[in-house]
């Protein structure tokens, strides 16, 4: 790894398994763009930066490979997966086809209490955005969407969407943070809950569709 590609990674401790800690740190580097698409990263070199052996790094990388975030490069290491504009357009289309009608059907004033239970997570997304915590934003964002879709009662649908989100990731969050517009995207989650709890299907459909399109717009900034 060249000096240019050296990552600013933390030393890991003993509170979690090394594999979990390394995976968490690598995921953070992917989210923030510190680990760049197309670049090959060596497990031994990363291990030296973490202050651990290469084994937990390889294990963590294999976990990320299963999610489509990186791919193994024989005798070299792992390359961060690159997605083309067509890939991103297709992922966006699938999310629109699945998530928009599913979330729209949830809109029901009689289920207001269920939606209110998600409000702390929506507010957590906003708080993370306001303090510029990208990994906190992504973690809370994933929990929000998974828990919301779980209300549909379709476990297979939830798994499909989780896989789509993992493969796409949230490109461009650092640019949004720098422009000061990350909070605007975050507040869409609160607006969505407000529409759902009042049974406003039209508003819920519009907000969900625009939210997914905004994410695609974020990706576009990276291409």
């Amino acid at each position: 790894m060249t000096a240019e590609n050296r990552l600013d990674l933390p030393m890991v401790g003993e509170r979690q398994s090394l594999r979990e800690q390394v995976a968490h740190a690598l995921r953070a580097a992917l989210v923030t763009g510190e680990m760049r698409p197309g670049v090959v990263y060596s497990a031994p070199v990363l291990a030296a930066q973490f202050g651990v052996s290469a084994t937990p790094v390889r294990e963590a990388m294999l976990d990320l490979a299963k999610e489509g975030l990186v791919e193994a490069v024989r005798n070299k290491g792992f390359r961060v997966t690159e997605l083309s504009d067509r890939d991103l357009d297709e992922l966006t289309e699938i999310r629109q086809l699945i998530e928009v009608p599913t979330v729209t059907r949830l809109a029901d004033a009689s289920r207001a209490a269920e939606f209110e239970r998600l409000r702390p997570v929506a507010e957590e997304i906003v708080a993370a955005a306001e303090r510029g915590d990208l990994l906190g934003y992504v973690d809370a964002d994933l929990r929000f969407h998974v828990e919301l879709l779980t209300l549909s009662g379709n476990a297979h649908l939830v798994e499909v969407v989780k896989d789509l989100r993992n493969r796409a990731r949230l490109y461009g969050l650092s640019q949004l943070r720098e422009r000061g517009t990350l909070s605007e995207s975050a507040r869409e989650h609160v607006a969505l809950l407000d529409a759902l709890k009042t049974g406003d299907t039209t508003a819920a459909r519009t907000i969900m569709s625009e939210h997914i399109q905004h994410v695609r717009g974020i990706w576009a900034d990276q291409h």
Side-chain angles (χ1 to χ4, degrees), residues 4 6 13 28 43 45 52 64 76 92 97-99 117-118 125 127 146 156 165 167 170 172 179 186 195 202 213:
E4 178 186 356
R6 183 175 175 81
V45 173
V52 300
L64 297 179
K76 290 187 177 181
T92 300
L97 290 170
I98 295 175
E99 293 184 66
R117 283 196 287 272
L118 286 175
I125 297 170
V146 167
H156 292 290
R165 292 172 63 87
R167 291 183 183 282
L170 291 179
R179 292 202 302 264
T202 300
Q213 283 304 130

Side-chain angles (χ1 to χ4, degrees), residues 1-12 21-51 57 60-61 64 70 78-80:
M1 184 182 297
T2 65
E4 178 186 356
N5 291 336
R6 183 175 175 81
L7 303 179
D8 181 18
L9 298 173
M11 298 287 282
V12 299
Q21 288 193 76
V22 170
H24 185 78
L26 291 174
R27 193 179 302 277
L30 286 166
V31 167
T32 59
E34 196 170 354
M35 290 182 71
R36 300 190 301 282
V39 176
V40 176
Y41 294 93
S42 159
V45 173
L46 290 174
Q49 291 185 246
F50 281 121
V57 175
M61 282 292 204
L64 297 179
V70 299
F78 294 85
R79 179 189 294 115
V80 178

